Amino acid sequence: MSPNRWSNDVPHQGAAFHELVTLPILAPHLARPYEVPGLNAIMPPSVTSEAHDAPPLTEVASGLVESDVPQTQVKVLRRFDLSVTVEWLERAKGLCPSAKGKKAEETKPTHQPHAIADMSHVSFITAALAAHGYQNLYTPGVVNGPAFKIYWAGSIGGKTQVLTIHDNAEWDHILVKLGGAKTAVDTVSVVFDLDTMDGYKNRKRPASPTDADEELAFGAHVPRADMYTAEQSALVESMTAIKAAWHCDEHGTCFIDGKCDHIEVNCFRLKAWASAVQARRCVASDPAPAELLSQWLGVKANVPATKPCGRSGPNAMPVTPDSPTLVADHTGLLLQTLSSAFNMFASAQPSAASSSLAVRMAANNQHQSSPPPAIEAELDVCLHAFAAAWGLSANAIGVALSQLVEFDYSPDAICEASLECLKEITGLTEGQVLALKKFARQWCGKIDAKRARRGMQKW
């Protein structure tokens, strides 16, 4: 320890009690700021001039700075070397993701010492990560994070119970602890756990290697105005006009009838309505055509039905007593009665002649109905038969047919599809879709029976 001074010519300072208590009381003109290693200078308490007949301490210190103390004397902050360790969990290649890995670490020192007492929380993290070249890979939070551990020789807890810093408040507390470190301490150790720092990664996307205009012009699935025909563009304009004229705050787009009932207009109904506008059958501000409204309301339109292909089945038209269809039906009924009676008689007295007659009658009975349609025409025949049975318009059944063909539906698939899916695809009402499913199931059964009688196979 240096001896206590009693002159301003002595460059060193004495003991703390001598500099802070003895000199300000007994020799105020010799008082100086007292510097503790690692901390800022401590000014001695001021002594009044009335008690000791001496000028105030502020004046004495001012006089010392200007005359007695050399102008080159500047307080130097303590600098510490940083030993930075990064840890991560390392898994061996080939192991399953649930297998436990082992902790790996790497330690590197910084290239130059740092005045830690003069550094902020963010600047210290950036300087520490620079030891491994990670200063641009992670972005520290202004208030907190990422967490790191810090210790030095003689720190509280040592290396076994390392202090963990999370935010600015804990950083300010650790600076006070570091200021009281021993003079021989010149290295501070810092530990980062990379597995907990993913949230602070700098995830800026790199610049695209291709030109932005070229990517928009030739990129995949980028819509352009020249991709659509004039008819499609006009149809979109009509749909936009209908939406504007029939806007509904509750459902989006609705047709409101005279009873203030809302009929929701989905995408299929909107397209059919816009097609009617393009065909000049109505305008966007007027109600939809009568046939469309009848479909949406579930009412059979007064449209003449088409003639069925076969003589029997669910699509048979009402006939008059003089029509040939009724005569054919009576003939078929008579043949069935005779066939039953002949079978009863043949079972009692079997013979070769009766057997051949029964075969001929059964063969004639097989050809009373029309042949089954081709497989590729089944959907078209089935839907037109359903339209005839329910009185649907040609426009409505055409829209439904085109949508079902687009999604590769068949009459068998209609029987298995869900109600909501068919409503969305065909644009028909719930009652019409239920009737379509029931009709398709019966129609498929009869067509399969026709093929079985003729020894035909569908697939």
Side-chain angles (χ1 to χ4, degrees):
M1 180 180 295
S2 301
N4 294 328
R5 65 180 182 84
W6 290 97
S7 172
N8 287 329
D9 297 332
V10 180
H12 63 269
Q13 63 182 4
F17 184 85
H18 181 79
E19 294 289 337
L20 295 176
V21 178
T22 304
L23 290 182
I25 295 176
L26 301 180
H29 60 284
L30 299 178
R32 292 180 186 174
Y34 180 74
E35 294 183 2
V36 178
L39 295 178
N40 296 329
I42 301 177
M43 296 295 295
S46 61
V47 181
T48 59
S49 58
E50 294 81 7
H52 300 282
D53 195 19
L57 181 61
T58 55
E59 296 180 6
V60 174
S62 176
L64 289 175
V65 171
E66 295 177 358
S67 59
D68 298 335
V69 180
Q71 297 296 325
T72 58
Q73 183 178 356
V74 180
K75 181 179 181 300
V76 179
L77 296 175
R78 292 184 64 181
R79 293 181 175 270
F80 298 89
D81 294 324
L82 298 181
S83 177
V84 184
T85 302
V86 292
E87 299 177 345
W88 67 92
L89 190 62
E90 190 176 49
R91 292 184 175 90
K93 294 183 179 180
L95 295 179
C96 60
S98 60
K100 294 183 179 180
K102 63 178 181 178
K103 204 73 171 181
E105 63 179 28
E106 183 182 5
T107 303
K108 290 184 180 180
T110 54
H111 299 291
Q112 59 184 1
H114 297 275
I116 300 179
D118 198 33
M119 299 177 69
S120 64
H121 182 215
V122 175
S123 60
F124 177 79
I125 294 176
T126 304
L129 291 175
H132 294 266
Y134 295 160
Q135 67 275 15
N136 296 325
L137 185 59
Y138 296 93
T139 302
V142 178
V143 179
N144 57 6
F148 61 92
K149 299 177 182 180
I150 184 171
Y151 63 94
W152 58 90
S155 61
I156 299 176
K159 189 176 180 180
T160 56
Q161 298 179 356
V162 185
L163 299 174
T164 304
I165 308 303
H166 297 87
D167 51 28
N168 292 340
E170 294 179 351
W171 173 249
D172 294 339
H173 176 72
I174 206 66
L175 288 181
V176 177
K177 298 291 185 182
L178 185 60
K182 296 179 181 180
T183 309
V185 175
D186 58 355
T187 302
V188 174
S189 299
V190 185
V191 181
F192 290 97
D193 190 351
L194 299 182
D195 294 331
T196 62
M197 295 172 56
D198 288 342
Y200 299 92
K201 275 190 176 180
N202 188 359
R203 304 181 187 275
K204 293 183 179 179
R205 297 180 59 187
S208 176
T210 59
D211 185 68
D213 297 335
E214 180 182 357
E215 182 179 358
L216 289 178
F218 302 101
H221 305 290
V222 178
R224 300 189 306 273
D226 56 357
M227 294 174 57
Y228 303 97
T229 62
E231 292 77 7
Q232 291 175 333
S233 301
L235 187 65
V236 172
E237 293 179 359
S238 300
M239 295 170 69
T240 305
I242 293 173
K243 287 182 178 181
W246 299 91
H247 176 71
C248 176
D249 295 334
E250 183 178 358
H251 305 101
T253 304
C254 283
F255 170 73
I256 305 175
D257 58 8
K259 300 179 180 179
C260 295
D261 293 333
H262 289 232
I263 302 176
E264 189 174 356
V265 180
N266 55 22
C267 58
F268 300 103
R269 294 177 177 179
L270 183 62
K271 185 177 180 180
W273 195 347
S275 300
V277 173
Q278 290 298 310
R280 300 185 182 278
R281 295 161 55 194
C282 63
V283 295
S285 58
D286 291 343
E291 61 270 16
L292 292 180
L293 293 178
S294 62
Q295 296 174 23
W296 302 345
L297 294 173
V299 179
K300 294 183 180 180
N302 188 14
V303 180
T306 58
K307 183 179 179 180
C309 298
R311 300 176 183 176
S312 62
N315 304 329
M317 289 291 295
V319 293
T320 59
D322 299 333
S323 63
T325 305
L326 183 60
V327 175
D329 291 341
H330 290 171
T331 304
L333 181 59
L334 177 61
L335 289 175
Q336 292 180 2
T337 305
L338 292 176
S339 176
S340 301
F342 182 80
N343 290 335
M344 294 175 59
F345 178 78
S347 59
Q349 297 179 356
S351 63
S354 62
S355 299
S356 60
L357 180 60
V359 171
R360 288 196 299 272
M361 293 182 64
N364 293 331
N365 192 28
Q366 287 181 357
H367 296 282
Q368 296 300 319
S369 61
S370 61
I375 296 177
E376 59 273 10
E378 280 188 348
L379 183 61
D380 185 82
V381 175
C382 179
L383 286 186
H384 281 87
F386 173 74
W390 273 74
L392 297 180
S393 64
N395 186 20
I397 204 64
V399 172
L401 178 61
S402 62
Q403 293 294 331
L404 290 172
V405 170
E406 182 179 356
F407 290 94
D408 297 329
Y409 268 76
S410 64
D412 296 332
I414 293 176
C415 302
E416 303 296 333
S418 63
L419 179 64
E420 296 297 329
C421 182
L422 290 177
K423 285 177 59 180
E424 186 69 16
I425 292 177
T426 61
L428 301 177
T429 62
E430 183 175 351
Q432 291 173 341
V433 171
L434 289 173
L436 175 60
K437 294 187 64 166
K438 181 179 179 181
F439 178 86
R441 187 177 294 107
Q442 296 176 352
W443 188 86
C444 290
K446 293 186 178 182
I447 296 300
D448 292 341
K450 287 185 178 182
R451 289 194 175 96
R453 289 195 301 267
R454 288 166 173 79
M456 302 170 59
Q457 293 183 356
K458 183 176 181 180
W459 307 111

